[in-house]
Every structure is written in C-alpha cells, then in structure tokens.
C-alpha cells in the first residue's frame, strides 16, 4: 500500500494536531458530530453479495448518456457566473471569472485499480487536456469517486491552488503537488481566495483510501461566496442538523449542489435519500438545487434514475426549485432560466 501511488500519502498526526480547532478529532481519527455507523456483519455481507450477484437490470443505462460538449474557448473567455456538471460530484464553478473545479473525478473507474470498480457511463464534456488554467480545486474528502489519482496527475500543472479538508493534502503531496499550493481547513474555517470566501463546513460521512487509514482525514462540505453570489456544495453526507447550522450561518444560497444518489438502508447514515436531500435544501435556505452524485457511476443497488426521479417528486411536494442539467450543460447562477428537462426519460423510451 505504501508503494502504490493511487493509495495516496500518509497523514501526519503531528501536523494535524497543530491545525485542529474543533473537537471532532481523537487519537488520530476524525468522527461525526452525530453517532454514525454503517451496517456490517455476516448477514449484511451475505445480503449484499446476493444483491451483487443477482444484479439490477436498471442499475446502469443501456447506452451512453447524452453529453453537452463544452467549448474550450467559452471557458477561457466567458466571465459570467455559471456551473457545469461533469457527472457524479465533479463540477466546474465559475464566479467573477474565477474557475473552481470541485471533486474532479474525471477518470473511468472509481477504483485504485482502473480495471476494477464501477465504470463511467459515458464520455466527459471536455477532456482534461482541453481545460484552461484552473484557479483552484476544492475537494470534499479522499474517497476514490471524489479524489482520483489519474485525474490529479493530469490536472496538477493546470491548477494554481488546492483547498482540502484536514489531512487530505498528504495525498496531493505524494502525487507531486507542493505544500505551498495546498490549503487544509478544519470545519468552519474560512479563507479568502482571489476575492472569494471559501468555508469548509461539516458533513456526515467518513474517509479513507486503504484498509488502515479509515477516518484519518477530514471530510466536509463547502460554502463558496462572493459579494453577489453564494453557493453550497454538500459533499457526501448523511442527513443531520449540520445543514440547518450552515443555513443559519451562511444562507441563503443562490444555488446548491446536493448529493442525492448512491444510498442504501445499510449506509443511510452517510448518504442521504433524495427526500432528505430536499429537506437539506430547505435547511440550508437554498434557492435552486442541482442534484449530484448520480448519473455517472453505479455505486449502490438502486435504479440509476431513481435518485433524480425521487428528488423531483420531493421537490415538487415541497415547492423547491430544482435544475436537472445534462452532463456538460451550462447552468447560469441567479438566472430564472435553468435546465429542467427529463432527459433520462427520453433515454429510457429509446430503449
């Protein structure tokens, strides 16, 4: 594990001890503010194996998803505020011309071994080589479907700075990114970057890239704001009171980027059901929500379209505005015109 680069680096507990300002760290491990567990044991393992062997005919799309290709020239020249979803939780956020990549898992597989693990449903809206200079990458945690070794190797010379939760910087340093380009934040810590305020806020999840480093690094959500624009990115999270705390301290938000997929009753504490996602949207006082963490990889047993269908239904019941862009489609921040097509249903009809 120490020799294989995709597993990442080893976190320095001595370094972390000097940076930690909150109480969710004890004896080399971070923990959630609410008791959080994932069901395990022999019975659970057997039931998951049975489900895995049986498979789900609707667990993957039958053909590649429709993707809006992104013009590299547009990315270089356009200075308006917008968001582009790259699939799963990967996003390009542009505010005041500042380009931020969030959780840019742009690889083909969510595994340290590319020939294993869930495969990407389709193509990217733009290849990494065609991206312009990126001002900063923001990471929520170190799981493989959010922090991808191959993507980072291709991106690291294009990116000026990296903002990560505590401990995650060790992985980036292992991959050749200097300490000077990495800022690690604890929950509720703020930093000013090129006129934007970035805040690492809580999430209810866990971390780890190998068997021996579970919860050795922090996980989080993020607030991104300028004088005119305020965004919230949920990261991976189970539902908990932290959403209301964030809403009270930093809301309301012009746009939220909210996890709504890869859930299961066995790990309900670390991933929200779509109905909880909509409640979290109300808690943080969000205006427009883009559901993320779906539509790219199969990492749970539900139908691949189940997250967005359930999110749409719950949003309608609670009068929540929701945008459902295709991968690569531009969503303008603070615009009353936003993508609302049910493009995945067209795909099902074609099949």
């Amino acid at each position: 594990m120490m020799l294989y680069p995709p597993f990442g680096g080893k976190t320095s507990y001595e370094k972390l001890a000097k940076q930690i300002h909150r109480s969710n760290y004890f004896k080399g491990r971070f923990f959630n503010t609410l008791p959080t567990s994932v069901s395990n044991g022999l019975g659970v393992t057997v039931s998951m194996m049975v489900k895995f062997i049986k498979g789900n005919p609707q667990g993957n799309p039958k053909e590649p998803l429709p993707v809006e290709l992104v013009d590299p020239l547009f990315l270089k020249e356009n200075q308006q505020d917008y968001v582009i979803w790259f699939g799963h939780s990967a996003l390009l956020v542009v505010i005041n011309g500042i380009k931020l990549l969030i959780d840019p898992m742009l690889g083909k597989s969510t595994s340290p071994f590319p020939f294993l693990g869930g495969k990407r449903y389709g193509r990217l809206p733009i290849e990494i080589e065609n991206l312009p200079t990126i001002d900063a990458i923001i990471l929520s945690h170190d799981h493989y479907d959010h922090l991808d070794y191959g993507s980072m190797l291709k991106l690291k010379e294009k990116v000026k700075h990296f903002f990560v939760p505590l401990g995650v910087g060790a992985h980036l340093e292992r991959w050749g990114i200097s300490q000077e380009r990495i800022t690690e934040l604890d929950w509720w810590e703020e930093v000013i970057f090129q006129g934007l305020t970035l805040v690492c806020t809580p999430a209810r999840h866990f971390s780890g890239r190998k068997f021996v480093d579970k919860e050795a690094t922090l996980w989080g959500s993020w607030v991104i704001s300028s004088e005119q624009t305020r965004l919230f990115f949920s990261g991976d999270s189970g539902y908990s009171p932290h959403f209301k705390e964030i809403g009270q301290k930093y809301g309301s938000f012009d746009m939220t980027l909210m996890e709504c997929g890869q859930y299961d009753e066995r790990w309900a504490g670390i991933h929200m059901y779509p109905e909880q996602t909509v409640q979290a949207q109300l808690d943080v006082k969000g205006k427009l929500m883009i559901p993320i963490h779906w539509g790219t990889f199969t990492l749970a047993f539900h139908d691949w379209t189940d997250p967005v269908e359930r999110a749409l239904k719950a949003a309608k019941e609670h009068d929540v505005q929701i945008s459902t862009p295709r991968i690569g489609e531009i969503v303008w921040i603070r615009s009353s015109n936003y993508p609302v097509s049910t493009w995945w249903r067209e795909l099902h009809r074609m099949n």
Side-chain angles (χ1 to χ4, degrees), residues 24 61 63 105 137 299 327:
N24 62 322
E63 60 182 74
M105 196 300 171
I137 279 178
L299 304 175
I327 292 173

Side-chain angles (χ1 to χ4, degrees), residues 155-257:
L155 283 165
K156 65 181 183 179
E157 300 307 325
K158 285 180 172 283
V159 179
K160 296 177 183 177
H161 207 82
F162 298 79
F163 294 93
V164 303
L166 290 176
V168 177
H171 303 312
L172 303 182
E173 289 179 48
R174 169 93 191 269
W175 302 335
I177 298 165
S178 65
Q179 276 189 5
E180 293 72 28
R181 296 167 62 200
I182 303 168
T183 299
E184 298 184 82
L185 279 75
D186 199 354
W187 286 350
W188 303 114
E189 280 195 300
E190 302 183 7
V191 65
I192 303 297
F193 176 70
Q194 296 188 20
L196 302 181
T197 300
L198 308 179
V199 191
C200 182
T201 42
R204 188 184 182 195
H205 200 56
F206 71 109
S207 64
R209 293 179 72 83
K210 44 191 179 289
F211 299 116
V212 296
D213 69 341
K214 188 179 179 184
E215 283 127 24
T217 65
L218 186 61
W219 49 93
S221 56
W222 289 86
V223 170
I224 304 167
S225 63
S226 68
E227 290 185 4
Q228 295 81 28
T229 299
R230 197 174 289 263
L231 263 67
F232 175 67
F233 169 68
S234 71
D236 278 8
S237 183
Y239 182 73
S240 88
H242 75 271
F243 289 112
K244 191 160 284 188
E245 290 181 60
I246 292 166
Q248 290 169 347
K249 189 172 178 65
Y250 294 106
S252 62
F253 294 97
D254 300 292
M255 183 181 289
T256 66
L257 313 162

Side-chain angles (χ1 to χ4, degrees), residues 31-331:
F31 56 90
N32 291 294
T33 53
L34 282 184
T36 302
S37 62
V38 176
S39 298
N40 49 33
L42 182 60
V44 172
T45 302
V46 170
S47 70
M48 290 180 64
M49 286 179 66
V50 169
K51 274 199 166 188
F52 180 77
I53 292 168
K54 287 175 63 178
N56 176 3
Q58 302 302 322
N60 296 274
K62 300 298 187 294
E63 60 182 74
L65 304 189
V67 172
E68 298 279 334
L69 297 182
V70 176
D71 182 355
L73 191 61
F74 170 84
L75 298 183
K76 287 181 180 178
E77 295 184 349
N78 197 287
Q79 298 296 305
Q80 298 182 62
D81 294 357
Y82 62 88
V83 169
I84 297 177
W85 182 44
F86 279 54
H88 201 57
S89 295
L91 301 129
L92 174 68
V93 172
V94 179
I95 299 176
N96 292 349
I98 308 302
K99 297 177 179 65
L100 309 172
L101 270 180
I102 300 179
D103 282 4
M105 196 300 171
L106 307 179
K108 294 181 179 179
S109 173
T110 59
S111 166
F113 308 102
F115 53 90
L116 299 174
K119 305 298 183 189
R120 182 178 291 274
Y121 294 163
R123 65 179 298 180
L124 292 168
I126 185 172
E127 295 301 321
I128 294 176
E129 293 77 10
N130 296 325
L131 286 170
T133 298
I134 302 298
D135 293 287
I137 279 178
I138 294 174
L139 297 174
S140 64
H141 64 298
D142 68 2
H143 284 160
Y144 291 101
D145 59 322
H146 296 260
L147 174 56
D148 177 56
Y149 170 68
S151 300
M152 284 296 161
L153 289 188
K154 293 180 180 179
L155 283 165
K156 65 181 183 179
E157 300 307 325
K158 285 180 172 283
V159 179
K160 296 177 183 177
H161 207 82
F162 298 79
F163 294 93
V164 303
L166 290 176
V168 177
H171 303 312
L172 303 182
E173 289 179 48
R174 169 93 191 269
W175 302 335
I177 298 165
S178 65
Q179 276 189 5
E180 293 72 28
R181 296 167 62 200
I182 303 168
T183 299
E184 298 184 82
L185 279 75
D186 199 354
W187 286 350
W188 303 114
E189 280 195 300
E190 302 183 7
V191 65
I192 303 297
F193 176 70
Q194 296 188 20
L196 302 181
T197 300
L198 308 179
V199 191
C200 182
T201 42
R204 188 184 182 195
H205 200 56
F206 71 109
S207 64
R209 293 179 72 83
K210 44 191 179 289
F211 299 116
V212 296
D213 69 341
K214 188 179 179 184
E215 283 127 24
T217 65
L218 186 61
W219 49 93
S221 56
W222 289 86
V223 170
I224 304 167
S225 63
S226 68
E227 290 185 4
Q228 295 81 28
T229 299
R230 197 174 289 263
L231 263 67
F232 175 67
F233 169 68
S234 71
D236 278 8
S237 183
Y239 182 73
S240 88
H242 75 271
F243 289 112
K244 191 160 284 188
E245 290 181 60
I246 292 166
Q248 290 169 347
K249 189 172 178 65
Y250 294 106
S252 62
F253 294 97
D254 300 292
M255 183 181 289
T256 66
L257 313 162
M258 301 287 273
E259 177 218 276
C260 82
Q262 319 311 326
Y263 44 80
D264 188 280
E265 62 183 6
R266 284 159 288 219
W267 53 83
I270 58 170
H271 284 298
M272 291 186 283
Y273 292 110
E275 296 78 13
Q276 293 174 313
T277 301
V278 171
Q279 182 58 54
Q281 170 75 354
L282 296 170
D283 289 352
V284 300
K285 304 176 185 176
K287 296 176 184 176
L288 178 67
M289 180 180 89
I290 298 178
I292 60 172
H293 209 249
W294 78 282
T296 310
F297 301 105
T298 296
L299 304 175
F301 299 110
H302 55 66
D303 292 0
W304 78 274
T305 60
D306 197 46
V308 70
E309 290 287 1
R310 288 174 62 172
L312 279 175
K313 183 175 183 293
K316 185 176 181 181
E317 290 171 355
H318 293 277
D319 196 27
V320 166
Q321 290 182 298
I322 186 169
S323 180
T324 53
R326 293 177 175 84
I327 292 173
E329 191 169 5
I330 297 164
V331 187

